[in-house]
Each structure stands twice: as structure tokens, then as C-alpha cells.
Amino acid sequence: MNKVIKKYNSNMHRVFVYGTLKSGEPNNNVLQDRTRGTALLVGKAKTCLEYPLVIGTRYNIPFLLDAPGKGKRVIGELYDVDKKMLNTLDEFEDHPSWYTRSKIHVERMPDHESQIPSAVMKEEVCGYLLQQYKPYMFERAAVEEYRSRSSDYLSKEDRASIEDYNFKAETKYMDKTAGQNDDNSLVE
């Protein structure tokens, strides 16, 4: 029962969401919009390894840093999505130039909201990780579970209506080829 399963229905992709795409969060409507594809809630899950889930920028955006073994085991939700929805999520997460869709291992958690029954407890799934980030991101407290109500998250739509601000420049190394950030210090 602890066997890691790598493949499900060949027409669906299992995705772990940990932030604003979860049920009850501001961007869950992306997963609920049938014109964007199909998404079925599988249930709650927790990463098998620790990851730093940090809240960053003045917009209080959740970032899952690609630093396995650091932070906390992160609680989120699993969805089975079709190719169209996977493409929608890739666009929403700006994969691969911002977040990177990566394979991670999660452990299912008991819940009553699952639309898909499963006895599988540990699974390899897709998750969107921030791979290139500035060192100050580690100074932020890692959280186990993101809740927008406790962080004053500002949605993409609301961000578009205020002054020009590039939160990506605040959080990520933008110059991958040089291996340096804008103050010329080396990428760690």
C-alpha cells in the first residue's frame, strides 16, 4: 500500500496544488471552469518531503521553493486534470519560465471531499515549484498549509489594476545564463 504509483488513467494527469488554486481559495475558479478543461478533486495530500512554502511579495503570493528536505511537509490538494486543463495550469503558473512543473511525491490524507476513491497512499504527481529564487526567500517562515484569508493575498486581477510592479523580479533570479542576480552576486 505504500508503493509509489507513477501512472494513472493515461488521459489524466495528477496535479498537487498548495496555494490559491485549492478549494475555497481565490483562484480555484480556474480548476472549476469547464471551458478550460476537466479537473476532478482527488482529495487532500501532504508532500512526502519537506519543502519551503513561503508567502512572498507585497501581494502575499504562496511560493513552493524547489528545495526538498527544507521547510515543512506541505498540505495541499490533488486533482486529476485532462491535457487541456494541464495546459491551462501551465499558462496560469507561467510554466516553464516562472514555475516549473516537476514530479514530487505526496501522501494522500483522509478526507470526505474526494471525487475519486483511491486506496493509494503515496503517489508521484506533478507540482509547480519555483526553482530559481533569491536567497532572502529562505528567511521567510515556511508554512505547512496556505490559506489566503490569513495572508491578505492580492489576486492577479487586482494586481493588474495597481501601479506597475514586477513581483517576479523581487523573488526570482531573472538572468539564468549568467548565474547572477541584478546586484551581481552569485546564484546560490
Side-chain angles (χ1 to χ4, degrees):
M1 193 170 279
N2 284 334
K3 183 178 178 183
V4 174
I5 302 299
K6 293 186 178 183
K7 188 151 181 140
Y8 316 98
N9 177 334
S10 62
N11 297 323
M12 301 296 272
H13 305 271
R14 192 153 286 176
V15 178
F16 177 73
V17 298
Y18 53 84
T20 65
L21 289 166
K22 293 188 316 180
S23 301
E25 295 298 342
N27 293 316
N28 184 254
N29 61 316
V30 172
L31 289 165
Q32 302 306 317
D33 184 351
R34 296 289 182 222
T35 65
R36 296 178 175 196
T38 300
L40 300 171
L41 177 64
V42 175
K44 289 184 84 169
K46 185 182 249 190
T47 58
C48 291
L49 295 175
E50 295 86 5
Y51 286 89
L53 174 58
V54 299
I55 313 305
T57 80
R58 66 182 186 188
Y59 300 133
N60 296 306
I61 299 170
F63 297 99
L64 190 59
L65 306 182
D66 190 4
K70 299 177 181 176
K72 299 182 179 199
R73 291 184 62 202
V74 176
I75 296 172
E77 294 175 342
L78 293 174
Y79 283 85
D80 278 348
V81 301
D82 64 6
K83 183 65 174 167
K84 185 175 180 182
M85 181 59 76
L86 187 65
N87 290 337
T88 296
L89 293 174
D90 283 351
E91 182 179 327
F92 181 82
E93 300 289 9
D94 199 8
H95 165 76
S97 62
W98 181 242
Y99 288 99
T100 302
R101 182 170 19 102
S102 304
K103 295 288 185 185
I104 60 173
H105 291 97
V106 298
E107 183 174 9
R108 291 279 306 275
M109 298 173 65
D111 68 53
H112 303 289
E113 306 203 9
S114 175
Q115 296 170 345
I116 299 174
S118 174
V120 175
M121 295 310 291
K122 291 187 180 183
E123 307 176 61
E124 182 180 69
V125 300
C126 298
Y128 291 90
L129 306 177
L130 188 62
Q131 290 188 329
Q132 295 194 356
Y133 44 86
K134 294 188 177 178
Y136 89 90
M137 298 286 282
F138 273 113
E139 296 170 11
R140 298 190 175 276
V143 297
E144 179 181 45
E145 184 171 14
Y146 175 79
R147 291 185 181 90
S148 63
R149 294 172 301 284
S150 62
S151 71
D152 296 324
Y153 171 77
L154 193 61
S155 71
K156 285 184 176 186
E157 294 79 20
D158 291 339
R159 283 181 248 153
S161 67
I162 61 176
E163 80 260 11
D164 187 26
Y165 169 66
N166 184 354
F167 74 90
K168 290 181 179 182
E170 181 181 327
T171 57
K172 182 178 178 183
Y173 285 111
M174 304 306 282
D175 184 2
K176 295 179 192 175
T177 58
Q180 298 180 341
N181 69 9
D182 33 4
D183 70 351
N184 216 23
S185 60
L186 292 178
V187 175
E188 296 181 0

